[in-house]
Amino acid sequence: MQTVPNYDLHCHSTASDGLLAPVDLVRRAAGNGVDVLALTDHDEICGLAEARAEAADIGLRFVNGVEVSVSWGGITIHIVGLNIDPDNPQLQQGLHAIREGRTERAKKMAEDLARVGIPGSLEGAYAYVDNPNLIGRTHFARFLVEKRYVNDVKSAFQHYLVSGKPGYVPHQWATLEEGLGYIKAGGGVAVVAHPGRYKLTRTEMRKFFGEFKDGGGSGVEVVTSSHTAEQFLEYAILAKEFGFLASRGSDFHGPGESRIDLGKLPNLNADLKPVWHDW
Ligand code: AMP
Ligand code: MN
Ligand code: MN
Ligand code: MN
């Protein structure tokens, strides 16, 4: 039987909002049968060196990645950069600026939560932060679970951390152009993360894909834990229509928190051109 290599090109470590240290993430991926792994922390690349060293030790192929937060059309969109050069100064500076925005947003989130009777959430969220330069909503979610305001991380988002809820603070991330610029400066390939998650109409999605392509983007996640089987098909069709390379990634954040484990995804359909076709 012919087996297809197992590529997982989207996951998170403690360098952002994942639960496992880079070294443990790599070991878990190998244990799960992943052949090629990309670590794609939010707006952060400081976990790559540790992950790469461990991958080399245990014979797993490793890809330097990042998941860049951008604002487009009033919503937040995530762009995964793959095969980036972590030493590129322009990429480093761009990501640094986005992380500083996160620190400011976190203070405002805590003020908002205090107004609805939830004190101490900034310190509480930081207790879950491993990398002091990178705080996100997931860290607040874990604090809200700890204090029993909600039963799980998913409910924390539903009740507090999404648009219209008391802990939600609208935020201006990098522009699409800036985000693509950072990835390009680092020599990486830009891939739209989990497109099925964005609240865009079909027309808006096409407009976004068009701008993404014009700006130098070249891929889209087709198989991701965020998508249903119908969405695998929907984005496979759009990938072909726009001439995008297709990617596959679990978006794993941690055991017990993520529904889909590292590498445990369906394969890309054979009629798609995978983002790794020329690696
Ligand atoms: P941030 O970049 O700080 O705004 O946080 C975005 C992260 O929050 C995502 O990468 C997910 O890890 C997490 N997240 C967003 N929405 C949800 C949700 N509905 N349930 C669980 N986690 C979520
Ligand atoms: Mn996340
Ligand atoms: Mn994302
Ligand atoms: Mn992600």
Side-chain angles (χ1 to χ4, degrees):
M1 200 179 77
Q2 201 192 357
T3 56
V4 186
N6 190 335
Y7 286 81
D8 191 335
L9 303 179
H10 187 155
C11 67
H12 298 270
S13 75
T14 48
S16 66
D17 60 357
L19 291 171
L20 301 181
V23 58
D24 296 318
L25 198 68
V26 168
R27 286 178 189 156
R28 186 181 184 94
N32 281 3
V34 172
D35 298 296
V36 185
L37 180 75
L39 174 60
T40 56
D41 277 307
H42 297 284
D43 312 313
E44 180 58 281
I45 51 182
C46 73
L48 296 178
E50 178 187 320
R52 173 169 287 283
E54 179 63 16
D57 272 0
I58 64 177
L60 181 94
R61 277 183 63 196
F62 184 75
V63 173
N64 289 322
V66 65
E67 182 174 17
V68 181
S69 311
V70 310
S71 295
W72 183 87
I75 64 164
T76 299
I77 291 191
H78 288 169
I79 309 292
V80 165
L82 298 172
N83 266 328
I84 48 158
D85 170 12
D87 295 325
N88 179 268
Q90 206 181 322
L91 173 66
Q92 288 176 350
Q93 284 156 23
L95 298 179
H96 178 81
I98 302 178
R99 291 195 299 271
E100 286 191 331
R102 285 180 167 279
T103 305
E104 288 310 305
R105 178 186 67 153
K107 290 178 195 155
K108 294 182 196 155
M109 286 174 64
E111 287 164 13
D112 255 24
L113 289 168
R115 276 193 277 275
V116 295
I118 300 179
S121 68
L122 189 62
E123 299 72 22
Y126 270 110
Y128 289 93
V129 168
D130 190 68
N131 167 11
N133 301 317
L134 195 294
I135 183 159
R137 284 185 291 161
T138 310
H139 303 113
F140 280 85
R142 291 176 188 143
F143 161 78
L144 292 168
V145 175
E146 175 199 313
K147 296 293 179 202
R148 313 289 299 160
Y149 291 106
V150 287
N151 286 326
D152 54 31
V153 163
K154 197 179 159 67
S155 315
F157 274 89
Q158 279 170 359
H159 296 288
Y160 293 102
L161 303 171
V162 294
S163 183
K165 301 295 175 181
Y168 182 79
V169 173
H171 189 70
Q172 193 62 41
W173 303 101
T175 64
L176 176 62
E177 194 183 2
E178 286 167 342
L180 287 170
Y182 304 152
I183 293 169
K184 278 188 280 183
V189 39
V191 173
V192 181
H194 43 63
R197 271 185 35 189
Y198 309 126
K199 293 196 168 51
L200 296 175
T201 63
R202 289 181 150 270
T203 310
E204 289 165 340
M205 186 66 77
R206 282 204 158 73
K207 180 162 185 277
F208 171 70
F209 277 178
E211 287 187 26
F212 174 76
K213 187 171 182 173
D214 290 345
S218 47
V220 61
E221 284 183 351
V222 172
V223 173
T224 146
S225 60
S226 297
H227 286 176
T228 62
E230 289 75 35
Q231 287 172 322
F232 294 156
L233 195 63
E234 182 184 346
Y235 289 100
I237 291 168
L238 276 172
K240 281 185 270 186
E241 180 185 326
F242 281 84
F244 286 152
L245 302 170
S247 192
R248 174 182 189 263
S250 61
D251 205 1
F252 180 74
H253 281 71
E257 235 175 63
S258 295
R259 198 172 48 85
I260 305 282
D261 210 325
L262 293 162
K264 306 286 186 188
L265 295 157
N267 286 319
L268 284 182
N269 253 349
D271 60 344
L272 293 167
K273 191 171 188 181
V275 67
W276 56 81
H277 74 101
D278 59 352
W279 291 1

